Amino acid sequence: QSGKKIPLLLDEVKAFALKHNQLNHMGILQLFLAPVYKCLSSLSGITFDPSTILPQLAAAPNDDVVQTAMAKKETVFCRVAIVASMCESLFLRDFAKAYKLMNRYPKLFELLDDRQQLRITEFEAIFITGMLSFHWARETREPHWIQRGMNAVAAFEDWAKLCPWDCNHRYLFLKAQLHHTQGDTKQAIESYDAAIANTKKHNYSCHEGLVCEWAAHFYDSLGDNDKTKEMIQKSYDAYNKWGAAKKAEAVIKLLQVVPSVVPSASAVQSEPGMSFL
């Protein structure tokens, strides 16, 4: 999630794996390196030659590895693995997979139930789970999801003052989700615009692509096809800049299903459930 481009991150993952394999550490390291590799590969389309990549890195973590890690109390590795998988689900909009992970590891989401227990050291996990909570709040209208999202917003509001480089754009992005969920269109637009500007300022092309993509879905829900197309194009450009070529190609294909003319108000009202994205 840093500002580094994906090809460089993948090279670092490979080098890290090779080094620790020589030290016979791969049994546990596989637990989080495999999900990280899978996430970056899914977004970029880059895969390593099987003859040069460690088999453990290409394989998904199995239950034996997880149980071994838990038995050794290697909870940090387990947590990183879960967050990496959740990150992949967020970027790929695979909410079904995210929901399965949430059911399998409920404590990761339950930590959002108490604002006082949230710590800045867990900011990435809290950001991802906060975003997903707002999505499920809009889908289900269940109050506990929006409360979890609001707790994430409150935490990042404080952390943005302490660490603006890493936290401010996440705070603005989460705030856009809150306003979207509450139906406050004006505030949502302002927060989306501010989040996009902040990601560009701090060279977070990964999150610039993500914010613009979610903004495209937001504008699509409003029936604003011009802004939807604009956000799709901006998302495509940002993802490509990050090195997420495969994700960028998936995003740009959305232009093919967005109408060239904004529907009339009556047309939108007659089919409230219709969404082109």
Side-chain angles (χ1 to χ4, degrees), residues 67 79 104 140 158 182:
Q67 292 304 317
R79 203 168 191 81
R104 187 172 183 182
T140 67
D158 293 337
Q182 294 177 328

Side-chain angles (χ1 to χ4, degrees), residues 81-95:
I82 298 167
V83 172
S85 295
M86 295 296 289
C87 178
E88 180 185 10
S89 298
L90 182 69
F91 273 96
L92 298 182
R93 297 184 67 83
D94 190 346
F95 300 114

Side-chain angles (χ1 to χ4, degrees), residues 8-9 22 38 47 76 127 162 222 239:
L8 177 58
L9 289 171
Q22 296 172 352
K38 183 175 181 295
T47 55
V76 172
F127 168 68
L162 300 173
L222 301 178
Y239 279 135

Side-chain angles (χ1 to χ4, degrees), residues 1-10 12-13 36 39-40 43 87 91 123-124 127-128 165-167 169-170 199 202-210 238-239 241-244:
Q1 295 275 348
S2 69
K4 292 183 180 179
K5 294 187 177 182
I6 288 180
L8 177 58
L9 289 171
L10 281 169
E12 290 179 351
V13 168
V36 170
C39 177
L40 295 175
L43 292 169
C87 178
F91 273 96
F123 77 94
E124 195 63 60
F127 168 68
I128 294 171
W165 190 279
D166 286 321
C167 295
H169 69 275
R170 288 176 169 88
T199 57
H202 292 155
N203 198 32
Y204 264 92
S205 53
C206 53
H207 282 163
E208 182 185 353
L210 188 65
Y239 279 135
K241 182 179 179 182
W242 183 34

Side-chain angles (χ1 to χ4, degrees), residues 22-256:
Q22 296 172 352
L23 300 173
N24 295 318
H25 291 167
M26 279 304 298
I28 297 301
L29 292 177
Q30 176 199 353
L31 185 62
F32 76 91
L33 282 180
V36 170
Y37 168 71
K38 183 175 181 295
C39 177
L40 295 175
S41 180
S42 296
L43 292 169
S44 65
I46 298 172
T47 55
F48 292 134
D49 184 334
S51 65
T52 62
I53 186 175
L54 296 172
Q56 300 99 317
L57 191 57
N62 57 48
D63 288 338
D64 290 341
V65 174
V66 175
Q67 292 304 317
T68 300
M70 296 301 290
K72 292 184 177 181
K73 300 187 184 301
E74 301 283 4
T75 55
V76 172
F77 290 152
C78 293
R79 203 168 191 81
V80 171
I82 298 167
V83 172
S85 295
M86 295 296 289
C87 178
E88 180 185 10
S89 298
L90 182 69
F91 273 96
L92 298 182
R93 297 184 67 83
D94 190 346
F95 300 114
K97 177 186 174 183
Y99 197 79
K100 289 179 181 178
L101 285 167
M102 183 272 296
N103 282 327
R104 187 172 183 182
Y105 306 104
K107 290 184 178 180
L108 190 63
F109 281 83
E110 289 171 358
L111 66 87
L112 286 177
D113 290 337
D114 186 354
R115 163 65 186 93
Q116 301 305 314
Q117 296 301 312
L118 302 185
R119 299 290 180 265
I120 195 169
T121 52
E122 300 280 358
F123 77 94
E124 195 63 60
I126 293 165
F127 168 68
I128 294 171
T129 52
M131 290 291 296
L132 292 169
S133 293
F134 280 126
H135 170 78
W136 287 322
R138 291 192 292 272
E139 291 293 310
T140 67
R141 312 314 299 181
E142 294 176 0
H144 70 281
W145 286 121
I146 191 168
Q147 185 59 56
R148 286 174 172 175
M150 290 173 68
N151 284 342
V153 171
F156 272 94
E157 184 176 15
D158 293 337
W159 299 341
K161 300 169 186 175
L162 300 173
C163 187
W165 190 279
D166 286 321
C167 295
N168 198 38
H169 69 275
R170 288 176 169 88
Y171 163 59
L172 294 167
F173 194 6
L174 283 164
K175 194 162 70 163
Q177 298 310 301
L178 172 60
H179 294 313
H180 180 185
T181 304
Q182 294 177 328
D184 190 337
T185 301
K186 182 176 182 295
Q187 291 295 320
I189 291 172
E190 290 179 0
S191 294
Y192 271 121
D193 288 346
I196 293 169
N198 202 268
T199 57
K200 292 177 75 70
K201 176 182 177 181
H202 292 155
N203 198 32
Y204 264 92
S205 53
C206 53
H207 282 163
E208 182 185 353
L210 188 65
V211 175
C212 290
E213 182 184 6
W214 281 57
H217 286 270
F218 165 70
Y219 284 113
D220 175 62
S221 71
L222 301 178
D224 189 337
N225 297 328
D226 289 340
K227 287 296 291 186
T228 299
K229 290 181 176 181
E230 177 188 341
M231 289 298 113
I232 289 173
Q233 185 63 55
K234 287 184 176 181
S235 177
Y236 170 81
D237 292 341
Y239 279 135
N240 262 333
K241 182 179 179 182
W242 183 34
K246 187 175 181 180
K247 173 63 182 181
E249 288 302 317
V251 168
I252 204 65
K253 288 179 181 178
L254 296 175
L255 286 176
Q256 300 172 7

